[in-house]
Coordinates of all heavy atoms in Angstrom, one line a residue:
E1 N -176.7 119.9 -41.9 CA -176.3 121.2 -41.3 C -175.1 121.1 -40.4 O -174.4 122.1 -40.2 CB -177.5 121.7 -40.5 CG -178.7 122.0 -41.3 CD -179.8 122.6 -40.5 OE1 -179.5 123.3 -39.6 OE2 -181.0 122.3 -40.8
K2 N -174.8 119.9 -39.9 CA -173.7 119.7 -39.0 C -172.4 119.6 -39.7 O -171.3 119.7 -39.0 CB -173.9 118.5 -38.1 CG -175.2 118.6 -37.2 CD -175.4 117.4 -36.4 CE -176.7 117.4 -35.6 NZ -176.9 116.2 -34.8
N3 N -172.4 119.3 -41.0 CA -171.1 119.1 -41.7 C -171.2 119.8 -43.1 O -170.9 119.2 -44.1 CB -170.9 117.6 -41.9 CG -169.4 117.3 -42.2 OD1 -168.6 118.2 -42.1 ND2 -169.2 116.1 -42.6
L4 N -171.5 121.1 -43.0 CA -171.6 121.9 -44.3 C -170.2 122.1 -44.9 O -170.1 122.3 -46.1 CB -172.2 123.2 -44.0 CG -173.7 123.2 -43.9 CD1 -174.3 124.6 -43.7 CD2 -174.4 122.6 -45.1
Y5 N -169.1 122.0 -44.1 CA -167.8 122.2 -44.6 C -167.5 121.1 -45.6 O -166.9 121.3 -46.7 CB -166.8 122.2 -43.5 CG -165.4 122.5 -43.9 CD1 -164.9 123.8 -43.9 CD2 -164.5 121.5 -44.4 CE1 -163.6 124.1 -44.3 CE2 -163.2 121.8 -44.9 CZ -162.8 123.1 -44.8 OH -161.5 123.4 -45.3
A6 N -167.9 119.8 -45.3 CA -167.6 118.7 -46.2 C -168.3 118.9 -47.5 O -167.8 118.6 -48.6 CB -167.9 117.4 -45.5
Y7 N -169.6 119.3 -47.4 CA -170.4 119.5 -48.6 C -169.9 120.6 -49.5 O -169.9 120.5 -50.7 CB -171.9 119.7 -48.2 CG -172.8 119.8 -49.4 CD1 -173.3 118.7 -50.0 CD2 -173.2 121.1 -49.9 CE1 -174.2 118.8 -51.1 CE2 -174.0 121.2 -51.0 CZ -174.5 120.0 -51.6 OH -175.4 120.1 -52.6
L8 N -169.5 121.8 -48.9 CA -169.1 123.0 -49.6 C -167.7 122.9 -50.1 O -167.3 123.4 -51.2 CB -169.4 124.2 -48.8 CG -170.9 124.5 -48.6 CD1 -171.0 125.7 -47.6 CD2 -171.6 124.9 -49.9
F9 N -166.8 122.5 -49.2 CA -165.3 122.6 -49.4 C -164.6 121.3 -49.4 O -163.4 121.2 -49.8 CB -164.7 123.5 -48.4 CG -165.5 124.8 -48.2 CD1 -166.2 125.0 -47.0 CD2 -165.5 125.8 -49.1 CE1 -166.9 126.2 -46.8 CE2 -166.2 127.0 -49.0 CZ -166.9 127.2 -47.8
G10 N -165.2 120.2 -48.9 CA -164.5 118.9 -48.7 C -164.3 118.2 -50.0 O -163.2 117.8 -50.3
V11 N -165.4 118.1 -50.8 CA -165.3 117.4 -52.1 C -165.9 118.3 -53.2 O -166.7 119.1 -52.9 CB -166.0 116.0 -52.1 CG1 -165.3 115.0 -51.2 CG2 -167.4 116.2 -51.6
K12 N -165.5 118.0 -54.4 CA -166.0 118.9 -55.5 C -167.4 118.6 -55.8 O -168.2 119.6 -56.1 CB -165.1 118.7 -56.7 CG -165.4 119.7 -57.9 CD -164.4 119.5 -59.0 CE -164.6 120.5 -60.1 NZ -163.7 120.3 -61.2
Q13 N -167.8 117.4 -55.9 CA -169.2 117.0 -56.3 C -169.7 116.0 -55.2 O -169.5 114.8 -55.4 CB -169.3 116.4 -57.7 CG -168.9 117.3 -58.8 CD -169.0 116.7 -60.1 OE1 -168.4 115.6 -60.4 NE2 -169.7 117.3 -61.1
P14 N -170.3 116.5 -54.1 CA -170.7 115.6 -53.0 C -171.7 114.5 -53.4 O -171.6 113.4 -53.0 CB -171.2 116.5 -52.0 CG -170.7 117.9 -52.3 CD -170.5 117.9 -53.8
I15 N -172.6 114.8 -54.3 CA -173.7 113.9 -54.6 C -173.1 112.7 -55.4 O -173.5 111.6 -55.3 CB -174.8 114.5 -55.4 CG1 -176.0 113.6 -55.6 CG2 -174.3 115.1 -56.7 CD1 -176.6 113.0 -54.3
V16 N -172.0 113.0 -56.3 CA -171.4 112.0 -57.0 C -170.7 111.0 -56.1 O -170.8 109.7 -56.3 CB -170.4 112.6 -58.0 CG1 -169.6 111.5 -58.7 CG2 -171.1 113.4 -59.1
H17 N -170.0 111.5 -55.1 CA -169.3 110.6 -54.1 C -170.3 109.8 -53.3 O -170.1 108.7 -53.0 CB -168.4 111.5 -53.2 CG -167.2 112.0 -53.9 ND1 -166.0 111.4 -54.0 CD2 -167.0 113.2 -54.6 CE1 -165.1 112.1 -54.7 NE2 -165.7 113.3 -55.0
T18 N -171.4 110.5 -52.9 CA -172.4 109.8 -52.1 C -173.0 108.7 -52.9 O -173.2 107.6 -52.3 CB -173.5 110.8 -51.6 OG1 -172.8 111.9 -50.9 CG2 -174.5 110.2 -50.7
M19 N -173.4 108.9 -54.1 CA -174.0 107.8 -54.9 C -173.0 106.7 -55.1 O -173.4 105.5 -55.0 CB -174.5 108.4 -56.3 CG -175.7 109.3 -56.2 SD -177.1 108.5 -55.5 CE -177.4 107.2 -56.7
A20 N -171.8 107.0 -55.4 CA -170.8 105.9 -55.5 C -170.6 105.1 -54.2 O -170.5 103.9 -54.2 CB -169.5 106.5 -56.0
Y21 N -170.6 105.9 -53.1 CA -170.5 105.2 -51.8 C -171.7 104.3 -51.6 O -171.5 103.1 -51.1 CB -170.4 106.3 -50.8 CG -170.4 105.8 -49.3 CD1 -169.3 105.2 -48.8 CD2 -171.5 106.1 -48.5 CE1 -169.3 104.7 -47.5 CE2 -171.4 105.7 -47.2 CZ -170.3 105.0 -46.7 OH -170.3 104.6 -45.4
F22 N -172.9 104.8 -51.9 CA -174.1 103.9 -51.7 C -174.1 102.7 -52.6 O -174.4 101.6 -52.1 CB -175.3 104.8 -51.9 CG -176.6 104.0 -51.9 CD1 -177.2 103.8 -50.6 CD2 -177.2 103.5 -53.0 CE1 -178.4 103.1 -50.6 CE2 -178.4 102.8 -52.9 CZ -179.0 102.6 -51.7
V23 N -173.7 102.9 -53.8 CA -173.7 101.8 -54.8 C -172.7 100.7 -54.4 O -173.0 99.5 -54.5 CB -173.5 102.3 -56.2 CG1 -173.3 101.1 -57.2 CG2 -174.7 103.1 -56.7
S24 N -171.5 101.2 -53.9 CA -170.5 100.2 -53.5 C -171.0 99.4 -52.3 O -170.8 98.1 -52.3 CB -169.2 100.9 -53.2 OG -169.4 101.8 -52.1
I25 N -171.7 100.0 -51.4 CA -172.2 99.2 -50.2 C -173.3 98.3 -50.7 O -173.3 97.1 -50.2 CB -172.7 100.2 -49.2 CG1 -171.6 101.0 -48.6 CG2 -173.4 99.4 -48.0 CD1 -172.1 102.1 -47.6
L26 N -174.1 98.7 -51.6 CA -175.2 97.9 -52.0 C -174.7 96.7 -52.8 O -175.2 95.5 -52.6 CB -176.2 98.7 -52.9 CG -177.4 97.9 -53.5 CD1 -178.2 97.3 -52.4 CD2 -178.2 98.9 -54.4
R27 N -173.8 96.9 -53.7 CA -173.2 95.8 -54.5 C -172.5 94.8 -53.6 O -172.5 93.6 -53.8 CB -172.4 96.3 -55.6 CG -173.2 96.9 -56.8 CD -172.3 97.5 -57.8 NE -173.1 97.9 -59.0 CZ -172.6 98.6 -60.0 NH1 -171.4 99.2 -59.9 NH2 -173.4 98.9 -61.0
E28 N -171.8 95.3 -52.6 CA -171.1 94.4 -51.7 C -172.0 93.5 -50.9 O -171.8 92.3 -50.7 CB -170.2 95.2 -50.8 CG -169.2 94.4 -49.9 CD -169.9 93.9 -48.6 OE1 -170.9 94.6 -48.2 OE2 -169.4 92.9 -48.0
R29 N -173.2 94.1 -50.5 CA -174.2 93.4 -49.7 C -174.8 92.4 -50.6 O -175.1 91.2 -50.2 CB -175.2 94.4 -49.2 CG -176.3 93.7 -48.3 CD -175.7 93.0 -47.1 NE -176.8 92.6 -46.3 CZ -176.6 91.8 -45.2 NH1 -175.3 91.4 -44.9 NH2 -177.6 91.4 -44.5
I30 N -175.2 92.7 -51.8 CA -175.8 91.8 -52.8 C -174.9 90.6 -53.0 O -175.3 89.4 -53.1 CB -176.2 92.5 -54.1 CG1 -177.3 93.5 -53.8 CG2 -176.6 91.5 -55.1 CD1 -178.6 93.0 -53.4
A31 N -173.6 90.9 -53.2 CA -172.6 89.8 -53.5 C -172.4 88.8 -52.4 O -172.0 87.7 -52.6 CB -171.3 90.4 -53.9
N32 N -172.6 89.2 -51.1 CA -172.4 88.4 -50.0 C -173.6 88.1 -49.2 O -173.5 87.6 -48.0 CB -171.3 89.0 -49.1 CG -170.0 89.3 -49.8 OD1 -169.2 88.4 -49.9 ND2 -169.8 90.5 -50.2
F33 N -174.8 88.4 -49.7 CA -176.0 88.2 -49.0 C -176.4 86.8 -48.7 O -176.3 86.0 -49.6 CB -177.2 88.9 -49.7 CG -178.5 88.9 -48.9 CD1 -178.7 89.9 -47.9 CD2 -179.4 87.9 -49.0 CE1 -179.8 89.8 -47.1 CE2 -180.6 87.9 -48.3 CZ -180.8 88.9 -47.3
E34 N -176.7 86.4 -47.5 CA -177.2 85.1 -47.1 C -178.5 85.3 -46.3 O -178.5 86.2 -45.5 CB -176.2 84.3 -46.4 CG -175.0 83.9 -47.2 CD -174.0 83.1 -46.5 OE1 -174.2 82.8 -45.3 OE2 -173.0 82.7 -47.1

């Protein structure tokens, strides 16, 4: 609710960007996990 501008007008498909953002963080963590 605090950032509805980004969801409605910032990006065209917010869920696509969010999933890509999450997957990139996860793969980076897996690749360097100790």
Side-chain angles (χ1 to χ4, degrees):
E1 299 182 33
K2 300 178 182 179
N3 198 14
L4 283 180
Y5 187 94
Y7 183 82
L8 293 171
F9 312 107
V11 292
K12 188 175 181 180
Q13 294 180 311
I15 188 60
V16 174
H17 290 271
T18 302
M19 290 299 298
Y21 176 69
F22 177 84
V23 170
S24 63
I25 295 176
L26 178 59
R27 284 176 171 167
E28 188 274 337
R29 182 60 174 172
I30 294 296
N32 299 281
F33 184 84
E34 293 183 358

